[in-house]
mmCIF file of all heavy atoms in Angstrom:
data_model
loop_
_atom_site.group_PDB
_atom_site.id
_atom_site.type_symbol
_atom_site.label_atom_id
_atom_site.label_comp_id
_atom_site.label_asym_id
_atom_site.label_seq_id
_atom_site.Cartn_x
_atom_site.Cartn_y
_atom_site.Cartn_z
ATOM 1 N N ALA A 97 -8.158 10.627 5.706
ATOM 2 C CA ALA A 97 -8.613 9.409 6.370
ATOM 3 C C ALA A 97 -8.496 8.242 5.393
ATOM 4 O O ALA A 97 -8.965 8.333 4.253
ATOM 5 C CB ALA A 97 -10.058 9.552 6.851
ATOM 6 N N VAL A 98 -7.876 7.159 5.844
ATOM 7 C CA VAL A 98 -7.659 5.989 4.995
ATOM 8 C C VAL A 98 -8.218 4.761 5.711
ATOM 9 O O VAL A 98 -7.963 4.550 6.904
ATOM 10 C CB VAL A 98 -6.156 5.788 4.695
ATOM 11 C CG1 VAL A 98 -5.939 4.574 3.794
ATOM 12 C CG2 VAL A 98 -5.582 7.036 4.037
ATOM 13 N N SER A 99 -8.980 3.967 4.989
ATOM 14 C CA SER A 99 -9.606 2.784 5.584
ATOM 15 C C SER A 99 -9.868 1.754 4.499
ATOM 16 O O SER A 99 -9.593 1.988 3.313
ATOM 17 C CB SER A 99 -10.926 3.178 6.269
ATOM 18 O OG SER A 99 -11.828 3.720 5.314
ATOM 19 N N MET A 100 -10.372 0.618 4.913
ATOM 20 C CA MET A 100 -10.799 -0.415 3.974
ATOM 21 C C MET A 100 -12.317 -0.412 3.898
ATOM 22 O O MET A 100 -13.003 -0.377 4.928
ATOM 23 C CB MET A 100 -10.315 -1.791 4.428
ATOM 24 C CG MET A 100 -8.797 -1.961 4.449
ATOM 25 S SD MET A 100 -8.014 -1.683 2.845
ATOM 26 C CE MET A 100 -8.857 -2.923 1.845
ATOM 27 N N ASN A 101 -12.854 -0.420 2.701
ATOM 28 C CA ASN A 101 -14.286 -0.600 2.482
ATOM 29 C C ASN A 101 -14.445 -1.937 1.781
ATOM 30 O O ASN A 101 -14.354 -2.030 0.559
ATOM 31 C CB ASN A 101 -14.857 0.534 1.643
ATOM 32 C CG ASN A 101 -16.364 0.409 1.460
ATOM 33 O OD1 ASN A 101 -17.034 -0.335 2.188
ATOM 34 N ND2 ASN A 101 -16.914 1.114 0.482
ATOM 35 N N GLY A 102 -14.649 -2.983 2.564
ATOM 36 C CA GLY A 102 -14.611 -4.321 1.994
ATOM 37 C C GLY A 102 -13.193 -4.626 1.539
ATOM 38 O O GLY A 102 -12.252 -4.532 2.319
ATOM 39 N N VAL A 103 -13.037 -4.945 0.259
ATOM 40 C CA VAL A 103 -11.702 -5.238 -0.265
ATOM 41 C C VAL A 103 -11.133 -4.052 -1.035
ATOM 42 O O VAL A 103 -10.088 -4.156 -1.666
ATOM 43 C CB VAL A 103 -11.732 -6.479 -1.181
ATOM 44 C CG1 VAL A 103 -12.097 -7.715 -0.377
ATOM 45 C CG2 VAL A 103 -12.688 -6.289 -2.353
ATOM 46 N N ARG A 104 -11.801 -2.906 -0.973
ATOM 47 C CA ARG A 104 -11.301 -1.689 -1.615
ATOM 48 C C ARG A 104 -10.586 -0.804 -0.602
ATOM 49 O O ARG A 104 -10.959 -0.752 0.568
ATOM 50 C CB ARG A 104 -12.441 -0.894 -2.256
ATOM 51 C CG ARG A 104 -13.117 -1.560 -3.446
ATOM 52 C CD ARG A 104 -14.145 -0.603 -4.044
ATOM 53 N NE ARG A 104 -14.802 -1.151 -5.222
ATOM 54 C CZ ARG A 104 -15.921 -1.863 -5.190
ATOM 55 N NH1 ARG A 104 -16.502 -2.113 -4.016
ATOM 56 N NH2 ARG A 104 -16.462 -2.319 -6.289
ATOM 57 N N LEU A 105 -9.566 -0.098 -1.072
ATOM 58 C CA LEU A 105 -8.896 0.909 -0.261
ATOM 59 C C LEU A 105 -9.649 2.229 -0.428
ATOM 60 O O LEU A 105 -9.838 2.706 -1.554
ATOM 61 C CB LEU A 105 -7.445 1.072 -0.710
ATOM 62 C CG LEU A 105 -6.650 2.173 -0.002
ATOM 63 C CD1 LEU A 105 -6.387 1.782 1.452
ATOM 64 C CD2 LEU A 105 -5.347 2.454 -0.739
ATOM 65 N N ARG A 106 -10.070 2.821 0.677
ATOM 66 C CA ARG A 106 -10.833 4.065 0.641
ATOM 67 C C ARG A 106 -9.968 5.215 1.152
ATOM 68 O O ARG A 106 -9.385 5.131 2.242
ATOM 69 C CB ARG A 106 -12.104 3.953 1.483
ATOM 70 C CG ARG A 106 -13.013 5.200 1.405
ATOM 71 C CD ARG A 106 -14.264 4.996 2.237
ATOM 72 N NE ARG A 106 -15.134 6.159 2.234
ATOM 73 C CZ ARG A 106 -16.118 6.367 1.359
ATOM 74 N NH1 ARG A 106 -16.354 5.473 0.408
ATOM 75 N NH2 ARG A 106 -16.878 7.447 1.430
ATOM 76 N N ILE A 107 -9.899 6.277 0.372
ATOM 77 C CA ILE A 107 -9.133 7.478 0.719
ATOM 78 C C ILE A 107 -10.111 8.644 0.792
ATOM 79 O O ILE A 107 -10.843 8.905 -0.167
ATOM 80 C CB ILE A 107 -8.047 7.769 -0.332
ATOM 81 C CG1 ILE A 107 -7.099 6.575 -0.457
ATOM 82 C CG2 ILE A 107 -7.274 9.036 0.021
ATOM 83 C CD1 ILE A 107 -6.143 6.670 -1.630
ATOM 84 N N GLU A 108 -10.114 9.330 1.922
ATOM 85 C CA GLU A 108 -11.001 10.475 2.108
ATOM 86 C C GLU A 108 -10.185 11.712 2.446
ATOM 87 O O GLU A 108 -9.216 11.646 3.211
ATOM 88 C CB GLU A 108 -11.990 10.225 3.250
ATOM 89 C CG GLU A 108 -12.924 9.046 3.034
ATOM 90 C CD GLU A 108 -13.860 8.836 4.212
ATOM 91 O OE1 GLU A 108 -13.712 9.559 5.235
ATOM 92 O OE2 GLU A 108 -14.734 7.954 4.118
ATOM 93 N N VAL A 109 -10.621 12.853 1.913
ATOM 94 C CA VAL A 109 -10.041 14.145 2.279
ATOM 95 C C VAL A 109 -11.183 15.026 2.770
ATOM 96 O O VAL A 109 -12.126 15.318 2.026
ATOM 97 C CB VAL A 109 -9.314 14.793 1.080
ATOM 98 C CG1 VAL A 109 -8.916 16.217 1.416
ATOM 99 C CG2 VAL A 109 -8.073 13.984 0.712
ATOM 100 N N HIS A 110 -11.109 15.420 4.036
ATOM 101 C CA HIS A 110 -12.147 16.236 4.673
ATOM 102 C C HIS A 110 -11.686 17.696 4.691
ATOM 103 O O HIS A 110 -10.560 17.978 5.121
ATOM 104 C CB HIS A 110 -12.385 15.786 6.116
ATOM 105 C CG HIS A 110 -12.775 14.348 6.251
ATOM 106 N ND1 HIS A 110 -13.859 13.936 7.008
ATOM 107 C CD2 HIS A 110 -12.232 13.201 5.752
ATOM 108 C CE1 HIS A 110 -13.960 12.614 6.967
ATOM 109 N NE2 HIS A 110 -12.970 12.150 6.210
ATOM 110 N N ASP A 111 -12.548 18.610 4.254
ATOM 111 C CA ASP A 111 -12.232 20.036 4.367
ATOM 112 C C ASP A 111 -13.490 20.786 4.789
ATOM 113 O O ASP A 111 -14.609 20.277 4.636
ATOM 114 C CB ASP A 111 -11.660 20.578 3.049
ATOM 115 C CG ASP A 111 -12.709 20.753 1.973
ATOM 116 O OD1 ASP A 111 -13.504 21.714 2.050
ATOM 117 O OD2 ASP A 111 -12.748 19.919 1.047
ATOM 118 N N PRO A 112 -13.350 22.017 5.330
ATOM 119 C CA PRO A 112 -14.496 22.702 5.932
ATOM 120 C C PRO A 112 -15.379 23.478 4.967
ATOM 121 O O PRO A 112 -16.336 24.123 5.412
ATOM 122 C CB PRO A 112 -13.813 23.662 6.921
ATOM 123 C CG PRO A 112 -12.498 23.968 6.292
ATOM 124 C CD PRO A 112 -12.078 22.708 5.593
ATOM 125 N N ASP A 113 -15.118 23.447 3.656
ATOM 126 C CA ASP A 113 -15.897 24.233 2.704
ATOM 127 C C ASP A 113 -16.827 23.318 1.911
ATOM 128 O O ASP A 113 -16.389 22.584 1.018
ATOM 129 C CB ASP A 113 -14.969 24.988 1.757
ATOM 130 C CG ASP A 113 -15.709 26.057 0.951
ATOM 131 O OD1 ASP A 113 -16.944 25.938 0.801
ATOM 132 O OD2 ASP A 113 -15.053 26.996 0.475
ATOM 133 N N ALA A 114 -18.113 23.373 2.242
ATOM 134 C CA ALA A 114 -19.097 22.526 1.562
ATOM 135 C C ALA A 114 -19.584 23.135 0.254
ATOM 136 O O ALA A 114 -20.417 22.551 -0.438
ATOM 137 C CB ALA A 114 -20.287 22.262 2.488
ATOM 138 N N ARG A 115 -19.073 24.323 -0.109
ATOM 139 C CA ARG A 115 -19.535 24.991 -1.326
ATOM 140 C C ARG A 115 -18.625 24.716 -2.516
ATOM 141 O O ARG A 115 -19.092 24.614 -3.654
ATOM 142 C CB ARG A 115 -19.611 26.500 -1.087
ATOM 143 C CG ARG A 115 -20.601 26.923 0.005
ATOM 144 C CD ARG A 115 -20.399 28.375 0.360
ATOM 145 N NE ARG A 115 -19.032 28.603 0.839
ATOM 146 C CZ ARG A 115 -18.507 29.802 1.086
ATOM 147 N NH1 ARG A 115 -19.245 30.884 0.859
ATOM 148 N NH2 ARG A 115 -17.274 29.925 1.534
ATOM 149 N N ALA A 116 -17.323 24.613 -2.256
ATOM 150 C CA ALA A 116 -16.364 24.414 -3.347
ATOM 151 C C ALA A 116 -16.297 22.943 -3.702
ATOM 152 O O ALA A 116 -15.529 22.175 -3.130
ATOM 153 C CB ALA A 116 -14.983 24.939 -2.926
ATOM 154 N N LEU A 117 -17.131 22.536 -4.653
ATOM 155 C CA LEU A 117 -17.214 21.128 -5.013
ATOM 156 C C LEU A 117 -16.228 20.789 -6.123
ATOM 157 O O LEU A 117 -16.027 21.575 -7.053
ATOM 158 C CB LEU A 117 -18.637 20.790 -5.477
ATOM 159 C CG LEU A 117 -19.752 21.042 -4.461
ATOM 160 C CD1 LEU A 117 -21.089 20.670 -5.070
ATOM 161 C CD2 LEU A 117 -19.508 20.253 -3.190
ATOM 162 N N PRO A 118 -15.605 19.625 -6.046
ATOM 163 C CA PRO A 118 -14.707 19.199 -7.122
ATOM 164 C C PRO A 118 -15.499 18.951 -8.390
ATOM 165 O O PRO A 118 -16.631 18.470 -8.362
ATOM 166 C CB PRO A 118 -14.083 17.912 -6.580
ATOM 167 C CG PRO A 118 -15.071 17.393 -5.598
ATOM 168 C CD PRO A 118 -15.698 18.607 -4.978
ATOM 169 N N THR A 119 -14.902 19.293 -9.523
ATOM 170 C CA THR A 119 -15.573 19.143 -10.811
ATOM 171 C C THR A 119 -14.739 18.268 -11.719
ATOM 172 O O THR A 119 -13.517 18.449 -11.834
ATOM 173 C CB THR A 119 -15.781 20.520 -11.475
ATOM 174 O OG1 THR A 119 -16.531 21.357 -10.590
ATOM 175 C CG2 THR A 119 -16.540 20.367 -12.789
ATOM 176 N N LEU A 120 -15.380 17.340 -12.364
ATOM 177 C CA LEU A 120 -14.689 16.471 -13.319
ATOM 178 C C LEU A 120 -14.713 17.146 -14.679
ATOM 179 O O LEU A 120 -15.769 17.313 -15.292
ATOM 180 C CB LEU A 120 -15.373 15.109 -13.384
ATOM 181 C CG LEU A 120 -14.790 14.106 -14.382
ATOM 182 C CD1 LEU A 120 -13.338 13.792 -14.044
ATOM 183 C CD2 LEU A 120 -15.621 12.830 -14.402
ATOM 184 N N LEU A 121 -13.533 17.551 -15.157
ATOM 185 C CA LEU A 121 -13.417 18.212 -16.453
ATOM 186 C C LEU A 121 -12.741 17.290 -17.452
ATOM 187 O O LEU A 121 -11.936 16.436 -17.082
ATOM 188 C CB LEU A 121 -12.591 19.504 -16.325
ATOM 189 C CG LEU A 121 -13.121 20.570 -15.353
ATOM 190 C CD1 LEU A 121 -12.175 21.752 -15.320
ATOM 191 C CD2 LEU A 121 -14.513 21.013 -15.757
ATOM 192 N N ASP A 122 -13.064 17.479 -18.700
ATOM 193 C CA ASP A 122 -12.391 16.752 -19.761
ATOM 194 C C ASP A 122 -11.133 17.523 -20.110
ATOM 195 O O ASP A 122 -11.016 18.154 -21.169
ATOM 196 C CB ASP A 122 -13.306 16.615 -20.972
ATOM 197 C CG ASP A 122 -12.686 15.759 -22.073
ATOM 198 O OD1 ASP A 122 -11.685 15.072 -21.776
ATOM 199 O OD2 ASP A 122 -13.198 15.781 -23.205
ATOM 200 N N ALA A 123 -10.159 17.470 -19.185
ATOM 201 C CA ALA A 123 -8.961 18.298 -19.325
ATOM 202 C C ALA A 123 -8.018 17.708 -20.348
ATOM 203 O O ALA A 123 -7.860 16.499 -20.451
ATOM 204 C CB ALA A 123 -8.254 18.416 -17.969
ATOM 205 N N LYS A 124 -7.386 18.594 -21.118
ATOM 206 C CA LYS A 124 -6.384 18.164 -22.082
ATOM 207 C C LYS A 124 -5.127 17.734 -21.342
ATOM 208 O O LYS A 124 -4.865 18.151 -20.225
ATOM 209 C CB LYS A 124 -6.062 19.289 -23.059
ATOM 210 C CG LYS A 124 -7.248 19.708 -23.921
ATOM 211 C CD LYS A 124 -6.860 20.831 -24.862
ATOM 212 C CE LYS A 124 -8.048 21.246 -25.727
ATOM 213 N NZ LYS A 124 -7.699 22.359 -26.632
ATOM 214 N N VAL A 125 -4.332 16.911 -21.965
ATOM 215 C CA VAL A 125 -3.133 16.376 -21.324
ATOM 216 C C VAL A 125 -2.210 17.492 -20.892
ATOM 217 O O VAL A 125 -1.606 17.467 -19.826
ATOM 218 C CB VAL A 125 -2.398 15.411 -22.285
ATOM 219 C CG1 VAL A 125 -1.078 14.960 -21.677
ATOM 220 C CG2 VAL A 125 -3.265 14.223 -22.624
ATOM 221 N N GLU A 126 -2.092 18.536 -21.749
ATOM 222 C CA GLU A 126 -1.148 19.607 -21.433
ATOM 223 C C GLU A 126 -1.730 20.637 -20.474
ATOM 224 O O GLU A 126 -1.040 21.538 -20.022
ATOM 225 C CB GLU A 126 -0.687 20.310 -22.720
ATOM 226 C CG GLU A 126 -1.788 21.071 -23.445
ATOM 227 C CD GLU A 126 -2.572 20.183 -24.418
ATOM 228 O OE1 GLU A 126 -2.396 18.946 -24.359
ATOM 229 O OE2 GLU A 126 -3.346 20.723 -25.228
ATOM 230 N N SER A 127 -2.989 20.512 -20.144
ATOM 231 C CA SER A 127 -3.631 21.475 -19.274
ATOM 232 C C SER A 127 -3.416 21.107 -17.816
ATOM 233 O O SER A 127 -3.611 19.967 -17.422
ATOM 234 C CB SER A 127 -5.127 21.541 -19.566
ATOM 235 O OG SER A 127 -5.782 22.368 -18.629
ATOM 236 N N GLU A 128 -3.022 22.093 -17.007
ATOM 237 C CA GLU A 128 -2.836 21.874 -15.581
ATOM 238 C C GLU A 128 -4.146 22.067 -14.836
ATOM 239 O O GLU A 128 -4.372 21.498 -13.782
ATOM 240 C CB GLU A 128 -1.775 22.838 -15.028
ATOM 241 C CG GLU A 128 -0.351 22.537 -15.489
ATOM 242 C CD GLU A 128 0.130 21.176 -15.014
ATOM 243 O OE1 GLU A 128 -0.215 20.781 -13.885
ATOM 244 O OE2 GLU A 128 0.825 20.499 -15.772
ATOM 245 N N SER A 129 -5.026 22.916 -15.364
ATOM 246 C CA SER A 129 -6.273 23.232 -14.679
ATOM 247 C C SER A 129 -7.318 22.154 -14.936
ATOM 248 O O SER A 129 -7.606 21.814 -16.079
ATOM 249 C CB SER A 129 -6.796 24.593 -15.157
ATOM 250 O OG SER A 129 -8.041 24.872 -14.577
ATOM 251 N N GLY A 130 -7.864 21.612 -13.863
ATOM 252 C CA GLY A 130 -8.973 20.692 -13.992
ATOM 253 C C GLY A 130 -8.612 19.251 -14.254
ATOM 254 O O GLY A 130 -9.486 18.408 -14.397
ATOM 255 N N ARG A 131 -7.318 18.944 -14.332
ATOM 256 C CA ARG A 131 -6.960 17.567 -14.662
ATOM 257 C C ARG A 131 -6.953 16.663 -13.437
ATOM 258 O O ARG A 131 -6.948 15.446 -13.587
ATOM 259 C CB ARG A 131 -5.602 17.508 -15.352
ATOM 260 C CG ARG A 131 -4.415 17.734 -14.432
ATOM 261 C CD ARG A 131 -3.122 17.784 -15.226
ATOM 262 N NE ARG A 131 -1.961 17.881 -14.346
ATOM 263 C CZ ARG A 131 -1.248 16.848 -13.938
ATOM 264 N NH1 ARG A 131 -1.587 15.635 -14.315
ATOM 265 N NH2 ARG A 131 -0.210 17.017 -13.140
ATOM 266 N N GLY A 132 -6.958 17.246 -12.231
ATOM 267 C CA GLY A 132 -6.832 16.454 -11.015
ATOM 268 C C GLY A 132 -7.916 15.408 -10.858
ATOM 269 O O GLY A 132 -7.638 14.223 -10.717
ATOM 270 N N MET A 133 -9.172 15.813 -10.907
ATOM 271 C CA MET A 133 -10.262 14.869 -10.722
ATOM 272 C C MET A 133 -10.397 13.935 -11.923
ATOM 273 O O MET A 133 -10.905 12.819 -11.794
ATOM 274 C CB MET A 133 -11.573 15.607 -10.459
ATOM 275 C CG MET A 133 -11.588 16.397 -9.151
ATOM 276 S SD MET A 133 -10.997 15.453 -7.713
ATOM 277 C CE MET A 133 -12.188 14.118 -7.640
ATOM 278 N N ALA A 134 -9.940 14.390 -13.096
ATOM 279 C CA ALA A 134 -9.939 13.500 -14.258
ATOM 280 C C ALA A 134 -8.977 12.338 -14.026
ATOM 281 O O ALA A 134 -9.262 11.192 -14.399
ATOM 282 C CB ALA A 134 -9.551 14.273 -15.520
ATOM 283 N N LEU A 135 -7.839 12.617 -13.391
ATOM 284 C CA LEU A 135 -6.891 11.553 -13.058
ATOM 285 C C LEU A 135 -7.482 10.605 -12.025
ATOM 286 O O LEU A 135 -7.359 9.381 -12.142
ATOM 287 C CB LEU A 135 -5.591 12.158 -12.532
ATOM 288 C CG LEU A 135 -4.663 12.792 -13.568
ATOM 289 C CD1 LEU A 135 -3.488 13.472 -12.881
ATOM 290 C CD2 LEU A 135 -4.160 11.746 -14.556
ATOM 291 N N VAL A 136 -8.110 11.167 -11.006
ATOM 292 C CA VAL A 136 -8.751 10.334 -9.983
ATOM 293 C C VAL A 136 -9.822 9.459 -10.616
ATOM 294 O O VAL A 136 -9.931 8.259 -10.316
ATOM 295 C CB VAL A 136 -9.351 11.206 -8.868
ATOM 296 C CG1 VAL A 136 -10.167 10.356 -7.897
ATOM 297 C CG2 VAL A 136 -8.252 11.960 -8.119
ATOM 298 N N ASP A 137 -10.613 10.041 -11.504
ATOM 299 C CA ASP A 137 -11.678 9.289 -12.164
ATOM 300 C C ASP A 137 -11.113 8.146 -13.019
ATOM 301 O O ASP A 137 -11.710 7.076 -13.110
ATOM 302 C CB ASP A 137 -12.500 10.235 -13.043
ATOM 303 C CG ASP A 137 -13.682 9.546 -13.694
ATOM 304 O OD1 ASP A 137 -14.599 9.140 -12.958
ATOM 305 O OD2 ASP A 137 -13.671 9.394 -14.929
ATOM 306 N N ALA A 138 -9.938 8.383 -13.612
ATOM 307 C CA ALA A 138 -9.324 7.363 -14.469
ATOM 308 C C ALA A 138 -8.689 6.240 -13.658
ATOM 309 O O ALA A 138 -8.666 5.090 -14.094
ATOM 310 C CB ALA A 138 -8.282 8.013 -15.373
ATOM 311 N N ILE A 139 -8.185 6.558 -12.472
ATOM 312 C CA ILE A 139 -7.430 5.585 -11.676
ATOM 313 C C ILE A 139 -8.320 4.840 -10.687
ATOM 314 O O ILE A 139 -8.216 3.618 -10.542
ATOM 315 C CB ILE A 139 -6.287 6.297 -10.911
ATOM 316 C CG1 ILE A 139 -5.263 6.850 -11.904
ATOM 317 C CG2 ILE A 139 -5.623 5.339 -9.929
ATOM 318 C CD1 ILE A 139 -4.219 7.726 -11.260
ATOM 319 N N ALA A 140 -9.190 5.571 -10.009
ATOM 320 C CA ALA A 140 -9.988 4.976 -8.937
ATOM 321 C C ALA A 140 -11.113 4.113 -9.503
ATOM 322 O O ALA A 140 -11.595 4.322 -10.621
ATOM 323 C CB ALA A 140 -10.564 6.069 -8.042
ATOM 324 N N ASP A 141 -11.536 3.158 -8.691
ATOM 325 C CA ASP A 141 -12.678 2.329 -9.071
ATOM 326 C C ASP A 141 -13.958 3.154 -9.000
ATOM 327 O O ASP A 141 -14.864 2.970 -9.812
ATOM 328 C CB ASP A 141 -12.758 1.124 -8.135
ATOM 329 C CG ASP A 141 -13.866 0.159 -8.512
ATOM 330 O OD1 ASP A 141 -13.893 -0.257 -9.682
ATOM 331 O OD2 ASP A 141 -14.696 -0.166 -7.654
ATOM 332 N N ARG A 142 -14.015 4.062 -8.025
ATOM 333 C CA ARG A 142 -15.135 4.984 -7.910
ATOM 334 C C ARG A 142 -14.736 6.124 -6.995
ATOM 335 O O ARG A 142 -13.807 6.009 -6.204
ATOM 336 C CB ARG A 142 -16.375 4.265 -7.373
ATOM 337 C CG ARG A 142 -16.181 3.536 -6.052
ATOM 338 C CD ARG A 142 -17.385 2.665 -5.739
ATOM 339 N NE ARG A 142 -17.256 1.980 -4.461
ATOM 340 C CZ ARG A 142 -18.142 1.100 -3.999
ATOM 341 N NH1 ARG A 142 -19.224 0.830 -4.694
ATOM 342 N NH2 ARG A 142 -17.950 0.506 -2.832
#
Side-chain angles (χ1 to χ4, degrees):
V98 181
S99 61
M100 296 301 301
N101 183 16
V103 295
R104 293 185 178 90
L105 176 70
R106 184 179 178 91
I107 302 170
E108 298 179 355
V109 171
H110 302 229
D111 74 75
D113 193 338
R115 298 168 301 172
L117 301 180
T119 303
L120 178 61
L121 301 178
D122 185 14
K124 297 180 180 179
V125 174
E126 66 273 11
S127 174
E128 290 297 323
S129 176
R131 74 185 185 95
M133 295 312 298
L135 285 174
V136 173
D137 184 66
I139 294 172
D141 184 53
R142 55 190 182 184

